[in-house]
Amino acid sequence: MSRLQVVTSVSSVWRIISPRSRIVGAAVLLLGIALYFCASIYTYGISSILFLDSIHNLYSLTVQPLQRFSDILGFVFGNDSGPLGRPVSMYTFWLDHEGGELDGEGFRQTNILIHLL
């Protein structure tokens, strides 16, 4: 197949694809590039140390086990580290703790995944 035939076949396929499909395809491509760019930036912070209120927030996970649902809700929504209490962060801390990872790197990986979603 010559180069001219390849160009002709690509352009004929491009004409068959509807404009709406082209827009959706371009949006998906741009979203993928943006996710890759954000993930590459976020990964630099995975191995950093825990800051400011992180130790305070994680302390209650190490003191008493959260076995009942009411204990988990109290941990997630009973935080006073910010005006809203950071329930999403506290929930991810609890998830990582239940998964067996009580280190900063595991917490950050989960947090990056949530931010990219």
Side-chain angles (χ1 to χ4, degrees), residues 13-14 31 34 36 67 86 93 95 100 106-107 114:
V13 169
W14 186 252
L31 180 64
Y36 177 78
Q67 296 175 346
R86 299 174 53 203
F93 288 162
L95 278 177
F107 291 138
I114 288 173

Side-chain angles (χ1 to χ4, degrees), residues 8 14-15 17 24 33 49 54-55 59 64 69-71 79 83-84 95 111:
T8 306
W14 186 252
R15 275 186 259 129
I17 299 173
V24 170
I33 291 170
I49 60 172
S54 300
I55 301 299
Y59 180 72
Q64 62 182 9
F69 186 67
S70 61
D71 295 338
N79 189 321
L84 301 175
L95 278 177
N111 213 351

Side-chain angles (χ1 to χ4, degrees), residues 97-110:
H97 180 260
E98 288 299 306
E101 292 190 32
L102 194 57
D103 66 340
E105 196 167 311
F107 291 138
R108 287 186 188 87
Q109 288 173 351
T110 303

Side-chain angles (χ1 to χ4, degrees), residues 66-81:
L66 304 175
Q67 296 175 346
R68 296 184 319 204
F69 186 67
S70 61
D71 295 338
I72 297 167
L73 286 178
F75 176 75
V76 171
F77 293 105
N79 189 321
D80 61 354
S81 65

Side-chain angles (χ1 to χ4, degrees), residues 4-22:
L4 180 60
Q5 289 173 329
V6 171
V7 170
T8 306
S9 62
V10 169
S11 64
S12 62
V13 169
W14 186 252
R15 275 186 259 129
I16 294 171
I17 299 173
S18 69
R20 182 179 176 153
S21 296
R22 287 185 225 159

